[in-house]
Amino acid sequence: KCMGSGFVELTIFPTVVNLNRIKLNSKQCRIYRVRVNDLEAPFIYNDPTLEVCHHESKQRNLNYFSSAYSAAVSAVDPDAGNGELSIKVPSELWKQGDEMKVLKVYIEFSLDQPKGGLHFVVPDVEGSMAERGAHVFSFGYQNSTRFWFPCVDSYSELCTWKLEFTVDASMVAVSCGDLVETVYTHDMRKKTFHYMLAIPTAAPNISLAVGPFEILVDPYMHEVTHFCLPQLLPLLKHSMSFLHEIFEFYEEILTCRYPYSCFKTVFIDEAYVQVSSYASMSIFSTNLLHSGMIIDQTPLTRRCLAQALAQQFFGCFISRMSWSDEWVLKGISGYIYGLYLKKTFGVNEYRHWIKEELDKIVDYELKTGGVLLHPTFTGGKEKEKSSECPDGKVDFIQCKACDLNFQVFNKLLSLASTASSQKYQSHMWSQMLLSTSGFLKSISNVSGKDIGPLIKQWVDQSGVVKFFGSFAFNRKRNVLELEIRQDYTSSGTQKYVGPIKVTVQELDGSFNHTLQIEENSLKHDIPCHSKSRRNKKKKIPLMNGEEVDMDLSAMDADSPLLWIRIDPDMSILRKVEFEQADFMWQYQLRYERDVVAQEEAISALEKFSTAASRLALTDILEQDQCFYKVRMQACFCLAKIANAMMSTWTGPPAMKSLFTRMFCCKSCPNIVKTNNFINFQSYFLQKTMPVAMALLRDVHNLCPKEVLNFILDLIKYNDNRKNKFSDNYYRAELIDALTNSLTPAISINNEVRTVDSLNPDVRLILEEITRFLNMEKLLPSYRNTITVSCLRAIRMLQKNGHIPSDPSLFKSYAEYGHFVDVRIAALEALVDYTRVDRSADEFQWLLEMVQNDPLHYVRHKILSMLAKNPPFTKAAESSLCNEALVDQLWKLMNSGTSHDRRLRCDAVNLYHTLFGLTRPSCLPLPELGLVLNLKEKKAVLNPTIKPEQGSGGPELPPAVVFTSSEEHVVMEPPLGGMVLPSQGLKRKAETPLASPPEPGQVLQEEPVVKGGFPTQEEEDIDMDTVHDSQAFIYHHLNMLDRPSTPGKEPPTMEQTIMSMPATPVPLFSKESTLSLKHGGEHHHHHHHHHHHEHKKKKKKHKHKHKHKHKHDSKDKDKEKERDSHTFSNSPASGRSMRSPSLSD
Amino acid sequence: MLTGERSGGNKSNTSPAENYYLARRRTLQVVVSSLLTECGFESAEKAAVETLTEMMQSYITEVGRCAKASCEHTARSTPTLSDVVITLVEMGFNVDTLPAYSKRSQRMVITAPPVTNAPVIPKSLVTGQKRTHPAYIPSHFPEFPDPHTYIKTPTFREPVSEYQVVREKAASQRRDVERALTRFMAKTGETQSLFKDDLTAFPLIAARPSSIPYLSALLPSELELQTLEETDSSEQDDQTDTENNPNNTIHDDAGADKENAVLPPGGGVPTVKSNEENMIDNPYLRPVKKPKVRRKK
């Protein structure tokens, strides 16, 4: 019932004389007609990614899949001059083409219930569309614009745009560029929004949002407009009140004005991702909005906004040259975002964030890097799943190179702005594309420094560095003998050679040393500055110049060393395991002022459960000048230490007296003060302490009664009436604390759990949870945080055997129609249930939801949670693992997810987790010898897929192939579904050298996209026609080196629809449809590659966008009629574009 | 006999003191009977006597009522002889015949009615002290009504002000209310249960999907809004907002109008457009253009 129709007009300047075939990207659009310069042009539509592996083969291994997929993807890769839609330029124009005149390509299309690209949200309530808050927005993973209109779907193809959207009069259409005017249609029931985007922009950066939005003009910047759904305006006002600060910050730091003349933020429901940036607009999840009473969401929302804005500069305005250059843009935008964090949230927060990101990357690489044959690489495009990590990593590289890069950014931006202002010379456009090599060149131009080694180490190689450090103090020589070893043999690691900074805090001060890590040197002698004798009177100078008194009684009398840190600035992607005595960690925790050092000390102290550690941690907890996140971490560490010291622990349970002192009433210490969250630091601490305390255990491994009662009292006496802020997060954490206090029930031979057998403590807990959950129905909390915590608690009760394990409650909360956070929490419980109870039913239920749920985000989450917490793995036998399941999953990733790349990646990922790379063991063996062979050598590339990989290329040893892919995956996150790099490399090798270097493809596109959204239609058309396709070919460097398309066709049968120019369109589509349905007219289309070269040679020219509009307006009215005509005339016309293979 | 009768007393026959009234009635009957005897009747049917009694009673009552009225008309509270005389005249009775009639010879003397205590109006509620008239009110004015109709009756005890007890009370009171409320909701609606053996043990109100889930999840509840109003919340942001952005006022209305589930279609947008043109130049605030009369065909 959701549909749109429109047309696109592209203006193409041929750069070659004999341009007779034009290829464009388009998916799931039903194309009615194509005209070139007013002449009907025949076209072919084929989308190989619709079904990755054709002819239902028995192949069920991921290697096979990944090679087939990369072939499919590169077959429609716009960077390689390919596309799903191939248009034959009418022969009448060939001659004109010889003179290289402008070609105007006009395409009429419609979208019917699109499954990807555009998302319609139509709440099921009474009223008109506007009253219901119905809206639609575009989304996609990386370059997914082809899902909603035909275009050259590449980040490197820039053109100017004119966009027109006709929508219901009650709706607002928000899109890229400047809103020129809004005009009613003749019947006054609709409005047409005219947008003009004069800055050359790539198609993937174009977006659209339509809905009955409330409009808020930013009070500080009138060019900035915010949109939100009805009733949310007060929240919008509050959430956006600081956006101008981010603007100011970026503009100042880049000394460059925001490149677009306006900026729009749109908040929509059922978002695909929280934040997505497009040229001059960003689309956010409506769930980021919050009122002034909400504490926790505020920094998160601000971060999202800052991120989105950073991407406006780098990512939207400056686009990338090729997939492998993605990291530069991600890195730069991440870097300036980091600077914003530093300025707004403080250095502590910033360094904490960097550490977090660093840890994430290190964990990720160490975990997955080792298993080189990880799905990440197999799927090829699977990389995005870890996109978080590479982002961080890249960002981190930027931090490292920050001094250098800084000036560079300026230059790049100024170049880019120059370029756009001179938009009539198209060669300047290339300045707006950024490539790795161009980036490096700019850096050396501006800073004069060569960061080559840096790039080589981190960008061209994968892996992190793992250091093990230990030291000894040589008293005689007064020298610190530091030993730094590296582990570069285990997976995900690499060897580091180069400088490393070591900071030594001595009695006389703090000293930095730069050591050179070389091949064989493990030991480094560092002379000490202080005499070992202690001068008790003197204060001890710290790194930041502060001088403090310390109690030095704990330290070794012979050594002047207080603590030692390796690579304190985190300038290397590393994991450091450093050995030093517990008292040194304690000194570091107490006196080092760097939050990262404090956090490292806290995690090191977990191993030293002594009274001294306890004291140090308690001191930190009480120190209100200390960074609150450090204090929060100290809580958990203290709980661990307390558990380890159980037998010797004296006094009340850890943190209890502390909490009492800080948050309880003076007169009656068992009652907590009424809430006052004005001080955020203590708010966070107040939230965290009970959660950590609940982790305490007594000798029976139960949560001490005292602690449990304490938490129950906190809940009981919680009083928020006098508070300016909402306490929903606090209450949610108290429930989490209850959850943490749960321990497994003593079960007597697996009896069924009944109310009577309920442990009295658990009964109390359950009562609280019941009450909270029920109250939430009457007075819902912000983002339903309390429901989320309750669901987790209930699952924990089930898991520990206190109440019967039963998925039905979670199923009802997982249904569409609940708030998304609640659904995810319920689904997480279900995923856990599936694993613990090995329930085939629930697994099936989840998979069905993956296929049918209206929310893309939920589908994605189900699959990724399943992969994270799999019901079984390839290592273990399970009754769930059967042939039907394999087929189901295979079908899901092969054809069921063609409309959403992220989902396809998730599916592949899950498949890998469940079955591994090779053929699932539960399948019967088709070709016995071969498969057995495979199973024995899992690390080897499956020989069966060799034929598919093309014979021409040098056969790289599999190990090498995957290593290299790993690198790209991690270092240069070629996010949107890249093909296996190895494939790319091979392709290069296969490429005929004769093809001339390609000057950059060109086209000025002025697509006029018109849509009527949303329109109700009864037609039920299976939109499997929509093909997923991934545009990507791996290019190491910039476009100039790009070979033309390899002449290899994917090993699949392509079926072609050729139209005859003379045939009237409606008739034609009918005919072709019929023939397709009967399986006739299958052409093996072998002449594609002849044309590839032509297309690529289209010449670039620049040119002003003038024209066009005559046509548009005239055709516009007709268009609708024609559409309807087509529909009524040929009911099956919708199928004309469908790949025949689908009907097999 | 006539004057001795308080008309008011006779009027209200519903008095619980039945005996008192019955006694009077009986006396009246005796009077009627003796009058009949005087007139020469030897016997009378009971019904006739009753009817005559009734008439007599009505007559006397009417005389009393009118006399009272005419006395009050002259701002007095007790009827005097002249009031009665006027009344009788009004009712068409020739007063001059009265002395002669009273001295007639065959007049029968009947015994006075038995002395019965006038019924005491039961004091239903005795509370407080009955107030007497202040000095400036003449004593003939009606008395104050019963105290129970106007006095305050203190029913509470001194509030406990001890902090711990107060908190304790507040907490348990809130918990009780919440529990009662949720139990009620659970009883009256659909529920889910955590246990299979006892479905009522920990009843959970069934989860019900909503068609626009984000509204309830994001918007602060009324309760929270109240709290916010009570606590000091003059945020600067808000103020600047309204100052700098006059079009907010329009949206405020729309926003404040929370009762409407949804805004009227497009209502907000066009109004803004017409209003704000001069203030802020934002393309989204400009009015929508009319279609051109002639489009290129």
Side-chain angles (χ1 to χ4, degrees):
Chain A
K1 57 180 183 173
C2 309
M3 67 162 288
S5 60
F7 61 85
V8 170
E9 190 165 292
L10 297 94
T11 306
I12 295 176
F13 286 83
T15 56
V16 293
V17 287
N18 47 354
L19 173 68
N20 53 14
R21 193 166 287 273
I22 297 165
K23 294 204 171 189
L24 296 174
N25 296 110
S26 171
K27 271 169 164 299
Q28 83 181 352
C29 303
R30 189 188 309 167
I31 292 171
Y32 296 111
R33 68 191 303 198
V34 175
R35 285 186 301 172
V36 178
N37 286 10
D38 292 335
L39 294 166
E40 295 294 336
F43 61 94
I44 303 160
Y45 186 87
N46 174 51
D47 185 354
T49 59
L50 180 65
E51 188 176 18
V52 176
C53 302
H54 291 252
H55 37 255
E56 198 37 40
S57 74
K58 290 293 166 214
Q59 288 279 16
R60 282 290 182 267
N61 71 62
L62 280 177
N63 287 325
Y64 173 74
F65 180 83
S66 84
S67 62
Y69 189 61
S70 52
V73 160
S74 56
V76 292
D77 176 13
D79 285 331
N82 290 334
E84 292 89 349
L85 181 64
S86 179
I87 299 163
K88 195 175 169 206
V89 177
S91 51
E92 295 91 322
L93 295 172
W94 289 8
K95 200 174 161 220
Q96 191 189 357
D98 290 347
E99 298 150 28
M100 307 206 287
K101 287 238 185 84
V102 177
L103 289 181
K104 279 189 234 161
V105 180
Y106 171 88
I107 303 169
E108 266 175 39
F109 68 95
S110 78
L111 274 176
D112 220 329
Q113 311 214 18
K115 290 172 111 184
L118 284 181
H119 185 61
F120 288 83
V121 182
V122 187
D124 185 18
V125 287
E126 294 288 300
S128 72
M129 279 298 170
E131 284 161 352
R132 292 154 74 176
H135 55 284
V136 59
F137 59 93
S138 66
F139 71 93
Y141 202 84
Q142 297 285 322
N143 52 348
S144 299
T145 306
R146 68 183 79 174
F147 282 93
W148 56 289
F149 67 87
C151 59
V152 179
D153 197 6
S154 159
Y155 282 101
S156 56
E157 290 297 337
L158 308 181
C159 62
T160 58
W161 298 78
K162 180 165 188 337
L163 303 145
E164 295 181 25
F165 303 98
T166 303
V167 301
D168 193 85
S170 58
M171 300 278 174
V172 183
V174 187
S175 185
C176 303
D178 294 316
L179 177 62
V180 182
E181 58 177 356
T182 316
V183 183
Y184 279 116
T185 52
H186 284 288
D187 58 6
M188 300 291 281
R189 289 163 65 185
K190 294 189 172 176
K191 290 188 290 197
T192 303
F193 287 79
H194 296 261
Y195 283 91
M196 177 81 84
L197 181 56
I199 292 173
T201 302
N205 283 329
I206 297 297
S207 71
L208 166 69
V210 179
F213 297 122
E214 300 200 26
I215 301 174
L216 171 66
V217 177
D218 195 285
Y220 302 92
M221 304 168 293
H222 294 173
E223 317 79 44
V224 177
T225 320
H226 312 294
F227 300 87
C228 69
L229 293 167
Q231 301 185 57
L232 299 179
L233 194 77
L235 305 188
L236 182 71
K237 243 185 254 176
H238 177 80
S239 311
M240 292 296 111
S241 54
F242 57 92
L243 184 71
H244 62 284
E245 292 170 20
I246 310 180
F247 260 100
E248 281 160 19
F249 178 79
Y250 285 155
E251 292 190 348
E252 192 177 319
I253 205 139
L254 297 167
T255 54
C256 161
R257 284 197 59 81
Y258 176 67
Y260 300 100
S261 55
C262 62
F263 180 58
K264 286 143 287 183
T265 61
V266 187
F267 289 81
I268 43 83
D269 189 27
E270 306 192 357
Y272 185 73
V273 285
Q274 287 214 313
V275 182
S276 45
S277 282
Y278 303 95
S280 84
M281 77 182 279
S282 292
I283 296 183
F284 299 92
S285 163
T286 196
N287 301 337
L288 291 175
L289 295 175
H290 59 86
S291 71
M293 283 181 294
I294 307 299
I295 299 176
D296 300 52
Q297 182 64 39
T298 308
L300 302 180
T301 299
R302 295 191 180 191
R303 281 167 169 234
C304 285
L305 285 171
Q307 239 166 340
L309 206 50
Q311 284 164 12
Q312 288 288 315
F313 290 90
F314 295 96
C316 295
F317 181 58
I318 298 198
S319 191
R320 61 165 181 246
M321 198 79 92
S322 70
W323 282 104
S324 53
D325 303 323
E326 170 79 358
W327 71 272
V328 180
L329 291 170
K330 284 268 187 260
I332 302 176
S333 60
Y335 172 70
I336 60 172
Y337 161 65
L339 292 179
Y340 173 76
L341 278 192
K342 197 191 221 167
K343 182 224 162 202
T344 314
F345 298 102
V347 178
N348 285 343
E349 179 72 39
Y350 175 71
R351 289 191 59 88
H352 173 80
W353 174 67
I354 296 282
K355 178 177 188 296
E356 240 174 26
E357 296 286 307
L358 177 62
D359 289 348
K360 243 192 271 173
I361 298 155
V362 168
D363 287 350
Y364 177 78
E365 289 205 47
L366 291 181
K367 193 173 113 237
T368 61
V371 201
L372 275 185
L373 300 174
H374 188 268
T376 339
F377 323 125
T378 9
K381 44 160 198 162
E382 297 335 306
K383 192 40 223 167
E384 43 266 27
K385 81 181 180 77
S386 60
S387 56
E388 284 285 292
C389 290
D391 282 1
K393 182 163 184 176
V394 165
D395 167 80
F396 165 69
I397 290 173
Q398 298 304 326
C399 304
K400 172 167 49 175
C402 67
D403 293 337
L404 307 176
N405 291 355
F406 215 8
Q407 310 132 36
V408 182
F409 300 155
N410 279 331
K411 179 156 184 199
L412 280 175
L413 266 183
S414 55
L415 278 180
S417 357
T418 325
S420 64
S421 62
Q422 306 169 333
K423 62 188 168 212
Y424 296 123
Q425 303 171 14
S426 68
H427 66 272
M428 285 298 289
W429 284 13
S430 59
Q431 296 289 356
M432 296 179 66
L433 296 177
L434 189 57
S435 71
T436 309
S437 62
F439 175 63
L440 298 185
K441 209 181 286 171
S442 312
I443 290 182
S444 63
N445 283 349
V446 174
S447 67
K449 289 183 191 164
D450 179 19
I451 58 166
L454 184 86
I455 297 294
K456 193 165 167 242
Q457 176 97 42
W458 303 117
V459 179
D460 296 344
Q461 283 183 58
S462 73
V464 295
V465 184
K466 227 171 148 180
F467 290 120
F468 297 97
S470 60
F471 76 98
F473 177 67
N474 188 325
R475 196 181 167 195
K476 265 184 210 156
R477 295 164 56 209
N478 197 23
V479 154
L480 166 65
E481 295 170 354
L482 190 65
E483 182 180 335
I484 299 178
R485 283 171 296 120
Q486 285 189 54
D487 169 12
Y488 45 86
T489 49
S490 61
S491 64
T493 57
Q494 62 164 311
K495 188 170 185 171
Y496 177 77
V497 174
I500 188 170
K501 191 167 141 192
V502 174
T503 303
V504 181
Q505 175 72 45
E506 299 176 32
L507 289 174
D508 286 359
S510 186
F511 303 95
N512 289 329
H513 305 271
T514 305
L515 306 179
Q516 201 64 28
I517 304 274
E518 281 157 24
E519 291 290 325
N520 299 316
S521 74
L522 296 172
K523 301 232 176 197
H524 305 270
D525 285 353
I526 299 175
C528 288
H529 297 70
S530 337
K531 295 294 172 206
S532 62
R533 61 183 162 73
R534 270 182 255 151
N535 190 342
K536 287 199 174 170
K537 288 171 226 155
K538 242 180 161 180
K539 290 190 169 185
I540 295 168
L542 299 179
M543 189 50 119
N544 60 0
E546 206 179 325
E547 299 203 336
V548 294
D549 283 317
M550 291 187 203
D551 173 15
L552 297 175
S553 56
M555 66 185 294
D556 182 355
D558 293 335
S559 159
L561 301 172
L562 282 164
W563 66 82
I564 298 165
R565 298 181 60 204
I566 293 178
D567 187 28
D569 298 334
M570 300 181 289
S571 55
I572 302 172
L573 293 177
R574 85 297 190 265
K575 181 184 176 73
V576 176
E577 286 175 21
F578 189 68
E579 288 173 27
Q580 57 182 358
D582 59 342
F583 67 83
M584 298 175 79
W585 288 118
Q586 286 151 14
Y587 280 125
Q588 179 171 335
L589 174 58
R590 284 173 198 255
Y591 299 111
E592 171 62 63
R593 297 301 185 225
D594 180 13
V595 293
V596 175
Q598 292 172 351
E599 285 169 13
E600 283 167 357
I602 290 175
S603 36
L605 280 178
E606 280 176 17
K607 292 192 278 290
F608 300 99
S609 35
T610 61
S613 301
R614 176 185 172 183
L615 193 63
L617 288 167
T618 319
D619 286 350
I620 278 292
L621 269 181
E622 280 184 283
Q623 178 89 43
D624 53 8
Q625 288 181 334
C626 183
F627 185 49
Y628 73 98
K629 284 189 178 169
V630 171
R631 295 164 80 192
M632 286 159 70
Q633 198 190 339
C635 292
F636 290 99
C637 182
L638 195 54
K640 279 186 192 152
I641 288 184
N643 287 342
M645 294 171 64
M646 197 190 306
S647 50
T648 55
W649 189 268
T650 53
M655 291 174 277
K656 181 157 182 277
S657 50
L658 207 60
F659 190 95
T660 307
R661 204 175 325 139
M662 294 163 88
F663 304 111
C664 291
C665 304
K666 299 276 177 292
S667 57
C668 33
N670 62 327
I671 297 184
V672 67
K673 286 182 201 161
T674 56
N675 295 339
N676 181 2
F677 297 154
I678 217 85
N679 180 338
F680 295 159
Q681 281 95 334
S682 47
Y683 163 67
F684 281 106
L685 206 58
Q686 187 178 358
K687 271 194 339 175
T688 309
M689 270 161 99
V691 180
M693 282 171 72
L695 292 169
L696 294 174
R697 295 292 179 265
D698 62 14
V699 280
H700 307 296
N701 202 29
L702 298 174
C703 184
K705 187 91 181 142
E706 193 180 352
V707 171
L708 181 61
N709 287 340
F710 175 71
I711 295 170
L712 288 171
D713 272 353
L714 288 183
I715 293 175
K716 182 177 169 191
Y717 292 118
N718 178 45
D719 184 349
N720 206 48
R721 282 174 300 181
K722 297 272 182 322
N723 199 358
K724 185 179 166 186
F725 298 100
S726 165
D727 66 343
N728 64 310
Y729 284 93
Y730 173 61
R731 282 186 290 153
E733 299 246 0
L734 289 178
I735 300 167
D736 290 344
L738 291 179
T739 313
N740 275 352
S741 73
L742 292 173
T743 45
I746 306 146
S747 95
I748 307 152
N749 54 29
N750 248 355
E751 52 173 347
V752 179
R753 291 286 148 192
T754 61
V755 183
D756 301 329
S757 63
L758 208 55
N759 170 314
D761 285 345
V762 175
R763 179 179 284 272
L764 290 176
I765 294 177
L766 194 51
E767 253 165 35
E768 294 299 337
I769 290 169
T770 313
R771 195 169 49 84
F772 271 125
L773 194 52
N774 284 338
M775 274 312 285
E776 183 85 333
K777 299 284 187 312
L778 308 173
L779 286 175
S781 60
Y782 178 72
R783 292 195 77 153
N784 296 349
T785 44
I786 291 170
T787 305
V788 169
S789 287
C790 288
L791 290 178
R792 267 192 247 126
I794 291 174
R795 176 59 198 149
M796 194 53 104
L797 283 166
Q798 294 188 350
K799 219 162 131 182
N800 279 320
H802 295 290
I803 61 176
S805 205
D806 177 15
S808 56
L809 179 75
F810 303 118
K811 274 185 180 171
S812 68
Y813 279 96
E815 289 294 346
Y816 179 71
H818 288 103
F819 188 67
V820 64
D821 291 1
V822 172
R823 300 189 64 197
I824 300 295
L827 286 167
E828 196 174 5
L830 280 171
V831 167
D832 191 52
Y833 177 86
T834 308
R835 180 180 62 81
V836 174
D837 283 39
R838 308 229 164 148
S839 159
D841 287 348
E842 314 314 323
F843 195 28
Q844 217 31 254
W845 191 87
L846 287 170
L847 289 179
E848 258 159 44
M849 192 171 251
V850 168
Q851 276 153 304
N852 302 327
D853 198 82
L855 252 75
H856 296 275
Y857 179 71
V858 166
R859 302 176 181 199
H860 155 70
K861 277 309 266 189
I862 295 174
L863 283 182
S864 52
M865 286 188 297
L866 277 172
K868 211 168 153 196
N869 194 4
F872 61 92
T873 61
K874 59 193 167 198
E877 288 291 315
S878 167
S879 54
L880 295 179
C881 175
N882 56 41
E883 199 172 345
L885 178 69
V886 175
D887 282 342
Q888 190 182 8
L889 277 177
W890 182 266
K891 210 176 139 208
L892 187 66
M893 64 187 196
N894 194 28
S895 56
T897 49
S898 61
H899 52 85
D900 184 352
R901 291 168 193 152
R902 181 172 71 176
L903 198 61
R904 179 170 262 169
C905 299
D906 293 329
V908 172
N909 223 353
L910 176 62
Y911 192 88
H912 175 265
T913 317
L914 298 183
F915 308 116
L917 272 187
T918 53
R919 194 178 169 78
S921 52
C922 58
L923 294 189
L925 307 176
E927 307 137 86
L928 202 57
L930 205 50
V931 177
L932 276 180
N933 200 8
L934 283 173
K935 286 172 87 181
E936 283 160 18
K937 312 181 183 179
K938 282 187 180 159
V940 176
L941 205 59
N942 186 344
T944 57
I945 66 164
K946 278 183 192 167
E948 267 87 26
Q949 287 218 323
S951 47
E955 199 64 63
L956 298 174
V960 176
V961 171
F962 285 110
T963 312
S964 71
S965 68
E966 202 257 353
E967 143 198 351
H968 299 300
V969 166
V970 180
M971 297 306 305
E972 308 186 343
L975 300 170
M978 40 167 298
V979 204
L980 249 192
S982 56
Q983 182 78 12
L985 291 171
K986 275 183 196 159
R987 285 176 162 273
K988 254 191 208 169
E990 291 165 1
T991 307
L993 294 175
S995 58
E998 209 254 308
Q1001 180 176 359
V1002 177
L1003 43 132
Q1004 155 134 6
E1005 197 174 359
E1006 292 229 327
V1008 181
V1009 183
K1010 294 199 173 184
F1013 300 109
T1015 315
Q1016 298 285 80
E1017 281 262 329
E1018 286 295 299
E1019 257 182 278
D1020 178 26
I1021 292 183
D1022 182 355
M1023 279 310 283
D1024 275 347
T1025 19
V1026 183
H1027 300 210
D1028 170 43
S1029 149
Q1030 193 66 40
F1032 171 78
I1033 190 164
Y1034 180 77
H1035 289 303
H1036 221 318
L1037 292 171
N1038 63 29
M1039 306 174 54
L1040 295 184
D1041 302 333
R1042 180 199 289 156
S1044 60
T1045 315
K1048 190 182 70 148
E1049 290 295 332
T1052 57
M1053 277 214 337
E1054 291 193 9
Q1055 270 120 12
T1056 315
I1057 307 161
M1058 301 279 284
S1059 70
M1060 287 151 227
T1063 323
V1065 171
L1067 270 183
F1068 158 62
S1069 50
K1070 195 174 191 174
E1071 278 181 6
S1072 69
T1073 305
L1074 286 175
S1075 62
L1076 284 172
K1077 281 174 103 180
H1078 295 118
E1081 284 213 288
H1082 292 186
H1083 300 295
H1084 288 257
H1085 184 49
H1086 281 305
H1087 44 282
H1088 265 177
H1089 56 280
H1090 295 308
H1091 302 295
H1092 292 169
E1093 287 148 65
H1094 300 320
K1095 158 167 197 203
K1096 315 205 85 215
K1097 290 182 198 153
K1098 280 176 288 173
K1099 165 147 21 59
K1100 87 181 11 179
H1101 258 277
K1102 114 191 356 138
H1103 125 59
K1104 46 189 83 183
H1105 36 282
K1106 24 162 200 182
H1107 35 41
K1108 231 89 292 112
H1109 304 315
K1110 308 184 173 178
H1111 276 14
D1112 304 348
S1113 38
K1114 141 167 131 199
D1115 290 337
K1116 186 164 125 189
D1117 296 333
K1118 282 187 173 176
E1119 177 198 15
K1120 286 275 155 72
E1121 294 166 25
R1122 205 161 32 229
D1123 288 354
S1124 53
H1125 181 233
T1126 314
F1127 279 121
S1128 53
N1129 258 3
S1130 65
S1133 61
R1135 297 168 189 265
S1136 63
M1137 257 74 63
R1138 173 185 302 181
S1139 159
S1141 59
L1142 193 71
S1143 51
D1144 290 350
Chain B
M1 197 172 89
L2 273 176
T3 48
E5 286 274 335
R6 282 295 278 262
S7 54
N10 243 353
K11 226 173 142 186
S12 60
N13 274 336
T14 56
S15 157
E18 287 281 296
N19 286 338
Y20 179 76
Y21 299 108
L22 281 178
R24 292 190 170 209
R25 178 97 177 172
R26 239 176 281 128
T27 309
L28 267 186
Q29 262 172 352
V30 171
V31 170
V32 168
S33 304
S34 64
L35 284 177
L36 286 174
T37 312
E38 237 173 80
C39 294
F41 291 95
E42 291 191 341
S43 65
E45 281 182 21
K46 181 149 173 102
V49 174
E50 280 296 328
T51 307
L52 287 171
T53 309
E54 192 66 28
M55 287 170 67
M56 161 101 66
Q57 184 170 344
S58 300
Y59 190 87
I60 294 173
T61 308
E62 181 60 17
V63 170
R65 193 190 62 76
C66 290
K68 171 98 173 152
S70 63
C71 112
E72 284 176 356
H73 186 66
T74 49
R76 282 174 288 112
S77 59
T78 313
T80 58
L81 179 64
S82 53
D83 289 327
V84 179
V85 170
I86 284 186
T87 304
L88 290 173
V89 171
E90 286 260 306
M91 291 174 74
F93 184 81
N94 188 352
V95 185
D96 297 338
T97 62
L98 200 55
Y101 179 72
S102 67
K103 291 173 184 149
R104 68 189 186 277
S105 55
Q106 70 274 46
R107 179 168 83 101
M108 293 180 67
V109 177
I110 51 172
T111 53
V115 178
T116 48
N117 295 332
V120 186
I121 295 164
K123 294 189 174 177
S124 49
L125 250 181
V126 188
T127 45
Q129 294 260 311
K130 187 144 180 146
R131 285 178 69 184
T132 51
H133 282 163
Y136 52 84
I137 297 183
S139 58
H140 60 270
F141 273 94
E143 288 178 338
F144 278 109
D146 272 353
H148 78 270
T149 58
Y150 58 86
I151 62 165
K152 280 183 296 200
T153 313
T155 60
F156 60 93
R157 272 168 290 162
E158 251 333 82
V160 190
S161 53
E162 201 182 334
Y163 186 77
Q164 182 171 354
V165 183
V166 170
R167 288 293 301 275
E168 178 84 48
K169 282 234 153 127
S172 45
Q173 209 169 353
R174 196 195 48 191
R175 170 173 306 220
D176 290 345
V177 169
E178 287 184 6
R179 188 173 299 155
L181 184 59
T182 52
R183 292 252 158 153
F184 172 74
M185 297 299 290
K187 282 243 164 70
T188 52
E190 229 178 298
T191 56
Q192 290 163 320
S193 176
L194 296 171
F195 291 90
K196 294 191 181 84
D197 58 328
D198 185 354
L199 295 179
T200 55
F202 292 94
L204 296 174
I205 301 174
R208 187 162 298 139
S210 98
S211 33
I212 309 187
Y214 61 85
L215 284 183
S216 67
L218 298 181
L219 289 171
S221 66
E222 307 237 326
L223 192 73
E224 283 176 309
L225 281 177
Q226 257 176 16
T227 322
L228 194 66
E229 274 164 24
E230 282 166 21
T231 56
D232 167 37
S233 67
S234 55
E235 279 182 48
Q236 282 193 331
D237 286 347
D238 290 350
Q239 287 174 350
T240 23
D241 257 8
T242 28
E243 282 160 19
N244 292 5
N245 190 3
N247 83 333
N248 278 344
T249 49
I250 286 132
H251 288 301
D252 273 339
D253 295 341
D257 194 8
K258 285 232 174 57
E259 310 310 315
N260 294 346
V262 190
L263 284 176
V269 180
T271 22
V272 172
K273 283 177 179 173
S274 51
N275 267 11
E276 296 313 316
E277 210 173 2
N278 302 331
M279 326 290 262
I280 300 171
D281 185 32
N282 183 296
Y284 291 95
L285 304 181
R286 286 177 207 147
V288 183
K289 293 183 185 165
K290 293 274 160 36
K292 286 167 200 143
V293 182
R294 212 182 73 78
R295 308 199 83 178
K296 291 168 208 160
K297 280 275 166 180

